[in-house]
Amino acid sequence: MTPELRWLSDPTVFAVNRLDAHSDHLCCRTLDEAESGLTSLRQSLDGAWRFAWSANPAARPADFWQPDADLSGFGTIRVPGHIELQGYGQLQYTNTLYPWDGRSFLRPPQVDWNDDPVGSYVKEFDLDESLRGQRVCVSFQGVEQAMYLWCNGQFVGYAEDSFTPSEFDLTPYIKDTDNRLCVEVYKRSSAAWIEDQDFFRFSGIFRSVYLYAKPKVHINDIWLRADLAADNTTGLLTPLVKLDGETDGASVDLVVTDPEGYAVYEGPAAGDTIEIEGIQPWSHAAPVLYHAVLTLRDADGALQEVVPYDIGFRRFEMVNGVMCLNGERVVFNGVNRHEWNADRGRAIDADDMHAAMAVFKKNNINAVRTCHYPDQSLWYDLCDQNGIYMIDETNLESHGSWQKLGAVEPSWNVPGSLPEWRDCVVDRARSMFERDKNHAAVLIWSCGNESYAGEDILAMSQFFHDHDPGRLVHYEGVFHCRAFDAISDMESRMYAKPWEIRAYLESHPKKPFILCEYMHDMGNSLGGMESYVKLADEFDQYQGGFIWDYMDQALRHTDALGRRVLGYGGDFADRSSDYNFSGNGIVYADGAEKPAMQDVRYWYDTPARRAAHDARNAAAAARADRDAAKAQAARKPGRLTVTEGDGNLGVRGDGFEILFSAGEAGPSSLTVNGSEWLWRAPRPAFWRAATDNDRGCGFPQRSAAWLAADVYLQNLGFAVLRKSADGVQVRYTYGVPTVPGAKAELTYTVEPQGTLLVEAVYHGVPGAPELPCFGVKFQTFAPVARTLWTGLSGETYPDRCKGGVFGCHEEVPHIEPALVPQDCGLHVGTRQFTLEQHNACGQTAAALTIEQADAPFAFSALPNTAQEIEAAQHSTELPATGRTSVTILGAARGVGGIDSWGTDVEEPYRVSGEGEHRVVFRIVL
C-alpha cells in the first residue's frame, strides 16, 4: 500500500493497518515475571530518536523512510515528549477558537497545507534476544495528531487519535538487528477539528513507544467482567479471553486470589460466569482488589504467556433515577484532571501521577473525570487501588465548530449527524472502551466534551450501551441540543448556578444531576462551594460534581530577562491566545496546593466530620475570645504625655510614641520600643486587586470608582476630640471625589493602658457602586518577616472559610503565585495578629500586635499594595519595595467560583456601597 497525504483531510481515513484495540493487560513469559510486574516480551523504544522538523508537508524530507536515506541533517529529540517543548515549532494555548482562526479560512475537514508542521522521527535498534523469533508489534501509546509509520523501508500504517494506543504488526518487516523505524507526525489533520480541547496545542510522540512479542499463541484481549450480585457478597466473574496465533488446542487457566492471598477461584477461563462467595465489594471507602492470573498454554501444554490483572467486584446501576454503587447512592466529590507537568506538558510520568493521587487522598477527592481524553493506563491502576471513581472520557471536543464568542451557532458543527464522521468518533469510543474496560474505577463512559450533539455522538452512546450494560454513559452536550437527550443517562451540566440546579431537581426529573464541571478555580477562586455541596443533603438526585480543574496549565520557560518562570498563553508569542485562562487548578503548575484546597478538603468530607470540625472551631474561637477579654482587662492604665505642635499632636506613653499629623491626614509616626512602624499615614481601604473572577464578571469596571478612591481621597478635616493624660482621641474625615457624598472616618483613641483603638466607619450614599472591601490600610516602614495570627488557618474569604482550622498560625508575607497576580492572603475571623521584623540573624527585632476590639476582623499582610498587584501581569513584575502592606477589614467581598466569565459573587458575599461599614481594632503599644 502507498501512503497518501490526502488521508490527513479525510475523516473516513483514521486507521490504516492499525491493529484492533484491546485491553491494557501485561503479557509475561513466566509466573515470576508476572509477580514482578516486568516482562521480557516488551522492549522500550523510549529515549533519543533522530528528528527533523518541517514547517509544512512540502518542506518535509519526504523520503526519509528509505533504508539508505541521508539523515545527516537530522537532530535528536526525546521520546516521549512534545516537539514544541524541545526547540521546534510554535506552541499555542487557545480555548475554543481553532488555532488557525483568522489566519486560514477553513471548514471541516480541511487542512492548511501551508501551515501543518511535520515531525520526522527515526529510531534505529536491534531486537532484544527475548523478542526474536516471534511475531513483533509496536505500540505507540500517544501520538499527536496523525502518524505514518515505516519499518525498514516498508510502509506499515497510519493512525489518528492522539490519546489512545496505535499499534501495528511489524512481523513482516522486522529483523534481529539493524532495524530502522520511521514515523512521520503531522500536527494537524481532520482530527484537529475534533481535538479542540481547552489546552496547549502540541504535537509529537508524547507517550511511550514499545515493541512487544507475541508467542505462537497470544492473549490478545481480556475482559474480566467482575460484577456483584444483589446480596453484595457474591461475585459474578465472567472471564472473556481473545487469543490469536495457533489457537487450536490452546487453553487458558485462571486463578483469582483475595487481598490476603487465598485463592477464591482456580479453573478454566472459558467465558462462563463464575460465582464466588464471600466477596468484599470495591468502593471508595474500601477499594478491595482481587488478583487474577491468566495462564496460557499451547496445544502441547507448554507455557506461552502469563497475564496478571487486579479486579474489583462492584455493581453500578441506576435505581429509581439515582446512581447507585453496590446498592447505595453515590455522590461524586470530584475534580477534572488534565495530564500536566510544568516542564513536559502532557508528557507526564509515574511520579506526576503518584503525586496527584496523594493530593486526591489527602483532600477527600473521590472521583475524577479524564478531561477530555483517556489518560495513561497507570492512572487507571491508581484509581482502582485508591477507590477513585472515574468518568472516562473519549478524545472528542469540537467546541469551536458550534460555539462562537459564547453564542451557540452549530451551522458547521462536527461530528454532528454527518455520516463521514461517524466511524471516526465511534472508533475513538471503541478504542477507549477496549483499553479500559477491566478497570473497576471506571463507572461511567463519556462520549467527549463540548461537541454539541447529533446522530454521530448518539452512535457512540449506543456503542457503549450495547457493549457494556454494567456502566452508564455521560455526555453534557445534550444540554444545548435536547433532541438528542437520549445520549446521556444523567443530566450533566457545566457551571450551572445552584438555583438552576434546585429548579431542575424540584421538577421531579427522570435523570439524576451531576456537574461535570463546576467551581471554576481560576486564580483566587472556589468561593461558595457550600451552595453546591448542601444540595446533596437535600436531593438524592443531586450526585455531586467535578471541580475545574486539578492543575494550572503553565509552562516553565526563560523570560525576556533571562529568568526561569512559569508562563501562560501569550508568553510564547502564540497568537491568538486565551492567555491565563488555563490557570484553573486546585494545585499550581508545580503541584503545590492552592489555599482554596482546605475548603475542598472540608466540603468533600463527610457531614459528620464537617460538623465535628465546626464544633472544634467554635470551641477554640470561644476560648480565644475569653483569653483576649482577660488580657485587655489585665492591662494597667498609665499616664500619657501630650505635646501639641503647630502641625502635629504627639502622644507618648510607656515605650511608645504617636504623631498625629494634620498635613498627612493621619498618624505619620508610630514607634514602639524604638521601632518605627509606619511608612505613611494609614488610610481607609476601598480596593483589593481584582481577581480573575472579578474581572470575568466585570466587577472592576462597575466599581472602578473605588480603585481611584483607594489612592485619591479628599482630606475633609482633622479634629481632636479629647486630649489628656488619661486618653487622647482624634478623628480624620475623608471624602470620596469619585463617589460624591460618600465619606469615611478614622478615629484613633490612645488608651492609658498602652493601646491604640482604631475605628473606621464608611458612610455610603444611594447609587454608590459595590465595594471590594472596607477597612484600614497602611504600609510598614520596614518589611515584615513573619506574620502570626489567631484565627482560621490559611487564606480565607467570606465565601471560602469553613475549611480553616481555628488556632494560632504563621506565615511569611507573600503573594500567592497565581498566573496573573491578584488579591490574596486574606484571613477572615481573626482575633489578633502580630507583625514581626527580624534582624540579620533571623531573630525578632520588633513586633506589633493588633487585636479585635468588639468583633473579629479580616486582615492581610502582603509585600505589595493592591495597586502594585493590579498592575502586574506576572509575579516577576511585582516590585520589591522593602515594605509590607497591611490591611484590616470590616467588610470584604467574596471570591466567587461559579464561573470566571460572567457570574458575580453570591449576594451574601457582596459589599454594598450604599450602606454603612465599620471595623474596630486595637494596636498594642
Side-chain angles (χ1 to χ4, degrees):
M1 178 181 288
T2 302
E4 300 179 46
L5 278 180
R6 67 173 182 82
W7 295 346
L8 292 168
S9 59
D10 185 348
T12 67
V13 180
F14 50 85
V16 176
N17 295 336
R18 193 195 70 195
L19 298 176
D20 291 341
H22 58 77
S23 53
D24 60 351
H25 61 284
L26 178 70
C27 291
C28 302
R29 177 57 92 180
T30 66
L31 187 58
D32 286 343
E33 286 187 0
E35 289 177 350
S36 71
L38 302 174
T39 178
S40 59
L41 294 175
R42 282 189 185 181
Q43 177 179 343
S44 174
L45 295 184
D46 290 350
W49 288 51
R50 305 287 295 277
F51 181 77
W53 182 85
S54 307
N56 54 55
R60 80 194 193 283
D63 295 328
F64 83 111
W65 51 270
Q66 297 279 6
D68 57 352
D70 179 10
L71 304 181
S72 60
F74 278 50
T76 60
I77 197 167
R78 183 185 68 252
V79 171
H82 298 297
I83 290 172
E84 293 80 3
L85 295 184
Q86 300 186 68
Y88 303 96
Q90 172 68 58
L91 61 83
Q92 182 181 8
Y93 167 61
T94 180
N95 177 8
T96 63
L97 289 177
Y98 286 102
W100 52 83
D101 188 78
R103 289 197 162 93
S104 305
F105 184 81
L106 304 175
R107 287 293 181 263
Q110 294 173 336
V111 171
D112 183 349
W113 298 106
N114 295 314
D115 184 19
D116 190 2
V118 185
S120 302
Y121 290 79
V122 177
K123 184 70 170 180
E124 296 173 333
F125 62 93
D126 294 336
L127 203 58
D128 286 353
E129 290 284 350
S130 58
L131 275 68
R132 295 180 183 180
Q134 302 172 85
R135 295 170 294 161
V136 175
C137 301
V138 63
S139 179
F140 292 86
Q141 291 290 296
V143 180
E144 192 170 12
Q145 179 177 84
M147 61 169 286
Y148 295 80
L149 176 66
W150 294 263
C151 181
N152 295 327
Q154 299 295 313
F155 176 67
V156 177
Y158 170 84
E160 298 173 6
D161 190 353
S162 301
F163 295 96
T164 55
S166 294
E167 299 187 352
F168 303 89
D169 187 359
L170 300 183
T171 306
Y173 322 108
I174 200 81
K175 302 180 295 184
D176 287 349
T177 60
D178 300 322
N179 290 288
R180 178 179 282 190
L181 200 66
C182 299
V183 187
E184 199 169 65
V185 178
Y186 287 79
K187 186 165 187 173
R188 296 184 184 131
S189 65
S190 60
W193 294 98
I194 54 173
E195 293 189 12
D196 189 36
Q197 288 93 332
D198 174 12
F199 58 16
F200 277 87
R201 309 306 171 99
F202 297 124
S203 63
I205 306 173
F206 71 99
R207 290 182 181 168
S208 287
V209 183
Y210 59 84
L211 305 170
Y212 64 94
K214 294 181 178 182
K216 62 180 181 179
V217 61
H218 163 69
I219 296 178
N220 194 57
D221 181 78
I222 64 172
W223 190 3
L224 303 177
R225 290 184 55 174
D227 298 321
L228 187 69
D231 62 6
N232 280 358
T233 63
T234 303
L236 305 173
L237 178 61
T238 308
L240 304 173
V241 181
K242 293 181 181 178
L243 305 180
D244 75 3
E246 299 176 15
T247 60
D248 288 346
S251 63
V252 180
D253 290 320
L254 171 65
V255 176
V256 180
T257 53
D258 66 15
E260 286 72 43
Y262 295 101
V264 296
Y265 175 78
E266 294 182 79
D272 300 322
T273 297
I274 305 160
E275 290 193 10
I276 305 175
E277 301 297 331
I279 285 294
Q280 301 175 65
W282 182 93
S283 68
H284 174 69
V288 179
L289 294 175
Y290 289 73
H291 188 60
V293 177
L294 293 159
T295 304
L296 171 64
R297 297 182 183 277
D298 63 19
D300 297 325
L303 180 64
Q304 295 296 310
E305 287 182 334
V306 180
V307 172
Y309 212 101
D310 289 336
I311 58 175
F313 291 87
R314 51 116 182 106
R315 184 178 70 261
F316 187 62
E317 59 192 333
M318 192 80 76
V319 180
N320 297 323
V322 175
M323 291 179 283
C324 293
L325 179 67
N326 306 332
E328 296 184 0
R329 169 180 173 249
V330 63
V331 175
F332 298 114
N333 296 327
V335 65
N336 286 271
R337 175 182 167 271
H338 272 291
E339 294 184 314
W340 193 255
N341 177 282
D343 295 301
R344 301 187 303 276
R346 288 188 289 279
I348 66 170
D349 61 18
D351 288 344
D352 296 312
M353 289 179 263
H354 283 285
M357 186 55 67
V359 172
F360 276 39
K361 297 292 287 182
K362 175 184 174 184
N363 294 290
N364 302 317
I365 295 167
N366 74 0
V368 66
R369 176 177 175 230
T370 68
C371 60
H372 302 292
Y373 44 80
D375 291 340
Q376 292 187 37
S377 286
L378 174 59
W379 181 246
Y380 298 75
D381 295 336
L382 294 177
C383 289
D384 289 344
Q385 295 161 17
N386 292 279
I388 302 300
Y389 306 136
M390 301 185 78
I391 294 182
D392 199 7
E393 189 147 272
T394 311
N395 176 27
L396 171 62
E397 179 167 343
S398 62
H399 202 159
S401 76
W402 65 273
Q403 192 169 48
K404 290 93 174 179
L405 300 178
V408 175
E409 196 287 286
S411 60
W412 50 271
N413 169 240
V414 288
S417 297
L418 300 171
E420 65 268 27
W421 289 87
R422 188 166 306 165
D423 288 349
C424 168
V425 297
V426 171
D427 178 76
R428 288 169 179 242
R430 179 183 293 106
S431 293
M432 178 180 73
F433 162 77
E434 296 291 3
R435 192 194 70 167
D436 301 336
K437 58 184 178 285
N438 288 289
H439 289 281
V442 177
L443 302 186
I444 298 171
W445 301 116
S446 176
C447 295
N449 185 64
E450 293 181 318
S451 299
Y452 202 58
E455 295 290 346
D456 294 0
I457 296 177
L458 180 62
M460 297 170 69
S461 176
Q462 193 62 53
F463 170 85
F464 289 130
H465 282 114
D466 289 347
H467 287 78
D468 191 1
R471 292 181 172 101
L472 299 178
V473 178
H474 162 272
Y475 184 62
E476 176 270 343
V478 300
F479 175 72
H480 301 283
C481 187
R482 289 298 186 184
F484 291 93
D485 205 57
I487 291 173
S488 185
D489 292 326
M490 63 221 64
E491 177 74 6
S492 174
R493 298 187 194 175
M494 297 178 178
Y495 311 107
K497 284 75 167 172
W499 52 92
E500 295 172 345
I501 301 170
R502 177 177 295 277
Y504 173 84
L505 295 168
E506 288 177 344
S507 70
H508 307 291
K510 293 181 180 179
K511 296 181 180 181
F513 188 103
I514 65 167
L515 286 156
C516 64
E517 296 176 21
Y518 84 120
M519 284 282 99
H520 196 261
D521 197 27
M522 186 175 181
N524 190 354
S525 185
L526 223 77
M529 194 170 173
E530 177 177 9
S531 298
Y532 291 101
V533 173
K534 288 198 168 181
L535 288 168
D537 299 332
E538 190 174 348
F539 299 97
D540 285 347
Q541 284 189 294
Y542 179 77
Q543 299 198 250
F546 296 78
I547 293 169
W548 187 265
D549 58 352
Y550 175 65
M551 178 176 280
D552 282 357
Q553 293 180 65
L555 289 165
R556 286 193 184 92
H557 72 121
T558 302
D559 70 6
L561 299 179
R563 300 167 296 191
R564 289 295 290 173
V565 297
L566 282 170
Y568 52 81
D571 287 342
F572 306 95
D574 49 320
R575 303 292 188 273
S576 61
S577 178
D578 283 286
Y579 302 96
N580 67 314
F581 199 71
S582 61
N584 318 132
I586 52 176
V587 302
Y588 293 112
D590 63 1
E593 294 181 7
K594 288 186 179 177
M597 187 69 87
Q598 67 177 3
D599 259 48
V600 174
R601 184 165 57 249
Y602 173 85
W603 288 114
Y604 277 178
D605 211 340
T606 65
R609 287 201 289 261
R610 291 202 303 266
H613 172 100
D614 294 345
R616 289 192 298 270
N617 275 358
R623 287 194 301 270
D625 291 340
R626 290 194 297 271
D627 293 345
K630 290 178 183 177
Q632 177 62 13
R635 292 182 178 126
K636 303 300 182 183
R639 303 286 291 176
L640 302 176
T641 300
V642 181
T643 303
E644 192 165 5
D646 294 330
N648 295 303
L649 178 69
V651 182
R652 281 194 297 273
D654 185 12
F656 70 87
E657 181 182 62
I658 306 171
L659 281 180
F660 294 102
S661 169
E664 181 69 5
S668 61
S669 175
L670 171 63
T671 59
V672 180
N673 297 323
S675 294
E676 176 62 68
W677 282 95
L678 296 179
W679 168 247
R680 298 291 297 270
R683 287 286 186 270
F686 291 119
W687 190 255
R688 73 174 190 199
T691 66
D692 285 318
N693 290 345
D694 287 339
R695 288 187 282 265
C697 73
F699 177 78
Q701 290 84 349
R702 297 194 304 272
S703 294
W706 297 116
L707 172 58
D710 198 59
V711 180
Y712 299 112
L713 281 174
Q714 182 180 11
N715 179 10
L716 296 181
F718 163 50
V720 178
L721 305 180
R722 177 161 59 95
K723 57 178 179 179
S724 73
D726 296 322
V728 175
Q729 187 175 66
V730 299
R731 176 174 295 155
Y732 295 90
T733 303
Y734 308 89
V736 185
T738 54
V739 185
K743 66 177 183 177
E745 298 163 346
L746 294 186
T747 303
Y748 300 89
T749 304
V750 186
E751 300 173 315
Q753 292 86 356
T755 54
L756 176 63
L757 184 71
V758 182
E759 179 183 32
V761 179
Y762 164 78
H763 303 283
V765 292
E770 285 184 18
L771 284 154
C773 60
F774 176 72
V776 179
K777 63 174 185 175
F778 64 90
Q779 286 185 277
T780 60
F781 181 78
V784 172
R786 183 171 67 156
T787 305
L788 305 95
W789 74 95
T790 300
L792 295 170
S793 61
E795 178 190 272
T796 51
Y797 282 78
D799 58 351
R800 199 193 72 212
C801 60
K802 295 296 288 292
V805 175
F806 195 96
C808 298
H809 311 282
E810 64 178 70
E811 68 182 11
V812 174
H814 65 282
I815 302 297
E816 282 293 321
L819 295 185
V820 173
Q822 53 201 277
D823 186 67
C824 59
L826 195 66
H827 306 287
V828 303
T830 302
R831 270 53 179 188
Q832 72 167 34
F833 69 95
T834 298
L835 307 172
E836 285 187 355
Q837 296 174 348
H838 292 175
N839 59 24
C841 297
Q843 301 166 325
T844 301
L848 186 72
T849 297
I850 297 175
E851 307 175 332
Q852 70 174 24
D854 60 359
F857 52 76
F859 90 96
S860 65
L862 304 175
N864 295 97
T865 67
Q867 288 72 31
E868 290 166 346
I869 298 170
E870 189 84 50
Q873 293 299 304
H874 300 83
S875 58
T876 52
E877 298 168 20
L878 292 166
T881 64
R883 299 184 287 274
T884 300
S885 180
V886 180
T887 307
I888 302 139
L889 301 176
R893 173 178 167 85
V895 291
I898 291 174
D899 61 48
S900 301
W901 50 85
T903 305
D904 205 346
V905 171
E906 291 179 282
E907 183 66 37
Y909 307 112
R910 302 177 196 171
V911 181
S912 171
E914 298 181 327
E916 184 168 295
H917 303 288
R918 176 176 177 271
V919 64
V920 186
F921 55 89
R922 278 191 176 88
I923 301 176
V924 180
L925 304 172

